[in-house]
Amino acid sequence: MRPRPRRLLVVLALLCALAALCGPPTLSQGAEGPRTSEDVARLFEEASVATQRYEEGRRAARTQRAAARRTERLLVRERREIAVLHDDLGRIARAQYRNGGDLPLTAQMLLADEPADLLHGQHAVWQADLALNNAVGKSRRAERRLADGQRRATAQWHALEARNKRLARLKRNIASKLVQAQWKLQGDADRSVAAGKCRGAVRLAQPRTRTTRAWVAPVQTYTLSAGFDSKGERWAHRHTGQDFAVGIGTPVRAAGAGRVVHVSCGGAFGIEVVVRHRSGYYTQYAHLAAVTVDQGEKVRTGQWVGQSGTTGNSTGPHLHFEVRLTPYLGSGVDPVPWLAERGVRVGRAAH
């Protein structure tokens, strides 16, 4: 007996529904995912700017404090010199008093045995008085200038200290917001991985700077942690890549130009991206919190391919980076010397 057309349509509809339920993990973007990723990227940038401004202000305050201390030392020396001049002036006055006191010069000349010698001596005294008075006047003017300079330097120092306190509060506020946004991003990533619904690419506003180098480190600022071929309880055999310890949401860059051949959110690597390069090598970026590229997309050197996280078999926020001969696990080579051969030296400093 041939099935009726209506029954056939019902059967097909059921089969399609069943196929949809049993199919591969779906891509789910949602409004929260992009917004959280954007917040983290923006806060990273704001934290970097705030830190730079704070450090510049701190250096300026240190310089201004040193200037105030130098001025203070000059003042102490100037006051000491003025005190010596005042002592000299007192000695001259006492000598004048002993040699004639307040007698008019005419009377001194009448009483003197040698009036010419008296005139000569008196002329020398006048010259000494004039030089001393000039020196005292100059010293006092210099002291006033130094005192004014010290007041200005101290005022500038206090203003810089107040500015740095404001910047420090701003830094702490940004850091607090960043931590909250980071763990919100990681929570969203963990839920999407657990549900088998990989979130699609988050299109973040990337820096306009373009590198002229063919290869770069996968992250800009980092600390190296587990290295290639090292032992660990969490690895079935040995570590297959190089770990870069970075905060959640740190932009992850394509080490070189190529094409994205794999994006996934399951398994031990959590959310991961694999890029094939023109040289035939592949690079893998794993334990991400978000991806910023789609499978099949071309990427340029330094372009963001994701944001770091701690999805999958991970004990803390970091980027797991591999260089492979094939797109598959087990074909990896040590990334550090491989990058060094291409002019990229990775270490504990930024690259």
Side-chain angles (χ1 to χ4, degrees):
M1 181 178 177
R2 298 175 64 184
R4 295 180 181 178
R6 180 179 294 179
R7 184 176 297 175
L8 179 60
L9 291 174
V10 172
V11 171
L12 288 173
L14 288 173
L15 288 173
C16 289
L18 186 61
L21 290 173
C22 300
T26 58
L27 293 178
S28 173
Q29 188 57 284
E32 282 299 310
R35 186 159 60 245
T36 305
S37 289
E38 290 164 3
D39 287 344
V40 171
R42 174 179 54 80
L43 287 167
F44 262 117
E45 182 63 27
E46 289 181 6
S48 175
V49 171
T51 299
Q52 182 179 354
R53 290 177 59 195
Y54 174 77
E55 290 301 318
E56 289 172 353
R58 192 174 60 84
R59 287 192 294 270
R62 188 167 61 241
T63 301
Q64 201 63 51
R65 188 185 297 113
R69 287 172 178 167
R70 283 195 302 271
T71 304
E72 178 64 32
R73 288 195 294 270
L74 287 172
L75 274 171
V76 170
R77 188 174 65 190
E78 193 70 28
R79 287 172 184 142
R80 192 180 298 122
E81 291 175 355
I82 290 173
V84 171
L85 287 171
H86 286 173
D87 289 343
D88 290 343
L89 180 60
R91 282 194 296 272
I92 291 173
R94 287 190 297 272
Q96 286 178 330
Y97 179 77
R98 286 193 299 269
N99 293 331
D102 293 331
L103 286 174
L105 179 60
T106 303
Q108 293 184 42
M109 291 178 64
L110 291 172
L111 296 173
D113 296 331
E114 296 291 341
D117 291 342
L118 177 63
L119 281 174
H120 181 74
Q122 189 66 41
H123 181 68
V125 169
W126 284 340
Q127 286 185 323
D129 283 348
L130 181 62
L132 182 62
N133 289 335
N134 286 339
V136 170
K138 288 180 181 178
S139 294
R140 286 176 177 170
R141 288 193 295 273
E143 183 176 8
R144 284 195 295 271
R145 287 196 301 272
L146 286 169
D148 290 341
Q150 185 190 35
R151 281 192 294 272
R152 286 194 300 271
T154 302
Q156 291 172 355
W157 167 40
H158 287 311
L160 284 167
E161 286 287 311
R163 175 178 177 270
N164 284 350
K165 288 179 180 178
R166 291 193 300 272
L167 286 173
R169 287 194 297 270
L170 176 64
K171 272 183 60 180
R172 289 193 296 269
N173 185 40
I174 293 173
S176 176
K177 290 180 179 178
L178 177 58
V179 169
Q180 294 177 25
Q182 284 176 313
W183 287 109
K184 174 69 168 61
L185 177 64
Q186 184 60 45
D188 292 344
D190 290 337
R191 284 189 291 273
S192 69
V193 170
K197 294 182 178 179
C198 300
R199 292 182 295 166
V202 178
R203 300 302 178 179
L204 299 177
Q206 302 195 26
R208 292 184 177 275
T209 54
R210 291 175 176 267
T211 181
T212 57
R213 301 174 61 181
W215 300 94
V216 295
V219 283
Q220 278 189 296
T221 304
Y222 55 84
T223 298
L224 292 182
S225 49
F228 180 77
D229 207 31
S230 57
K231 295 180 179 179
E233 295 180 357
R234 300 183 66 85
W235 309 310
H237 300 288
R238 287 180 177 268
H239 196 229
T240 55
Q242 175 63 57
D243 286 350
F244 295 80
V246 289
I248 294 170
T250 299
V252 174
R253 310 183 296 181
R259 185 182 295 275
V260 178
V261 296
H262 183 64
V263 176
S264 70
C265 63
F269 288 118
I271 299 175
E272 63 171 322
V273 172
V274 177
V275 176
R276 184 186 187 280
H277 302 283
R278 299 186 189 96
S279 58
Y281 285 95
Y282 296 79
T283 53
Q284 180 211 29
Y285 313 82
H287 303 309
L288 303 176
V291 297
T292 58
V293 290
D294 287 316
Q295 191 163 310
E297 183 177 336
K298 285 185 177 181
V299 293
R300 64 181 184 277
T301 302
Q303 179 180 334
W304 293 355
V305 297
Q307 291 172 287
S308 63
T310 182
T311 55
N313 187 11
S314 171
T315 57
H318 72 283
L319 168 69
H320 175 86
F321 175 71
E322 287 194 22
V323 176
R324 298 173 176 174
L325 299 173
T326 74
Y328 308 110
L329 179 65
S331 62
V333 299
D334 192 340
V336 173
W338 187 89
L339 285 170
E341 290 172 2
R342 287 152 182 80
V344 181
R345 297 191 177 277
V346 297
R348 300 185 69 84
H351 289 269

